[in-house]
Amino acid sequence: MINDTILNLIDAYGYFLFFLAFSLGPFGIPVPNEVTIVTGSILSVNGILNPFVTYLSILSGLLIAVTISYTTGRIFGGYFGSKLQENRHFLKARLLLHKHGKWAICIGFFISVVRYLMPLLVGLSRVNARTFIVLSYSSAIFWTAAFFGAGSIAGTYF
């Protein structure tokens, strides 16, 4: 029943569904990224979706999300900084950034929720945009490729 619902959504909305799932992360939409990317790769390896287009949809959604989050931190830093002081995920991301510096941008991609809060924090911290883009985009490519690859391997068993 759930599988039929998912397949109907994929059939009706195609790759846009994966794009939205990843691009809505900074807005508090609770979409489990790891499950979503593995689902996309399983559907791809089984011939339901084109793997290249699926991967690009996921990656572009994620890149847009982290860029929006970073830009929001740069523009509205003072406002969001004071509002998020009690958020445990934000505090975890801040501790990670202070403890590990620029490596935290890379590490943050592998921690759910922190993946979207870290770019906001990096923007709040006024990290250079070029530094953010190089570190965060390369981490996003690595993270998505790792999970997409794992899903592709798992998909051969379904």
Side-chain angles (χ1 to χ4, degrees):
M1 175 139 184
I2 292 175
N3 290 338
D4 291 336
T5 303
I6 291 171
L7 290 176
N8 288 335
L9 285 171
I10 297 297
D11 188 44
Y13 301 106
Y15 305 102
F16 187 65
L17 188 64
F18 287 102
F19 173 80
L20 277 181
F22 281 85
S23 62
L24 294 177
F27 304 106
I29 307 301
V31 178
N33 292 153
E34 292 80 359
V35 173
T36 305
I37 195 168
V38 169
T39 301
S41 59
I42 289 172
L43 292 172
S44 296
V45 78
N46 286 303
I48 296 168
L49 296 171
N50 178 308
F52 182 72
V53 177
T54 304
Y55 179 77
L56 283 181
S57 298
I58 290 168
L59 180 62
S60 62
L62 183 59
L63 293 179
I64 286 172
V66 298
T67 303
I68 289 171
S69 185
Y70 170 80
T71 305
T72 302
R74 290 288 294 222
I75 295 171
F76 302 108
Y79 176 76
F80 282 110
S82 63
K83 297 288 183 191
L84 292 170
Q85 292 303 318
E86 301 301 317
N87 181 297
R88 67 182 170 96
H89 298 296
F90 180 77
L91 295 174
K92 187 176 186 178
R94 186 172 70 187
L95 177 65
L96 192 63
L97 184 61
H98 289 295
K99 187 174 182 181
H100 299 287
K102 293 177 183 171
W103 281 106
I105 298 170
C106 303
I107 295 166
F109 267 92
F110 294 89
I111 304 170
S112 190
V113 180
V114 173
R115 176 177 311 117
Y116 294 112
L117 289 176
M118 184 59 73
L120 179 68
L121 181 61
V122 170
L124 286 168
S125 301
R126 312 298 286 173
V127 171
N128 180 301
R130 181 177 293 153
T131 301
F132 168 76
I133 288 170
V134 168
L135 293 174
S136 131
Y137 286 22
S138 59
S139 298
I141 291 168
F142 181 77
W143 181 82
T144 53
F147 273 88
F148 201 84
S152 295
I153 293 168
T156 60
Y157 297 105
F158 291 103

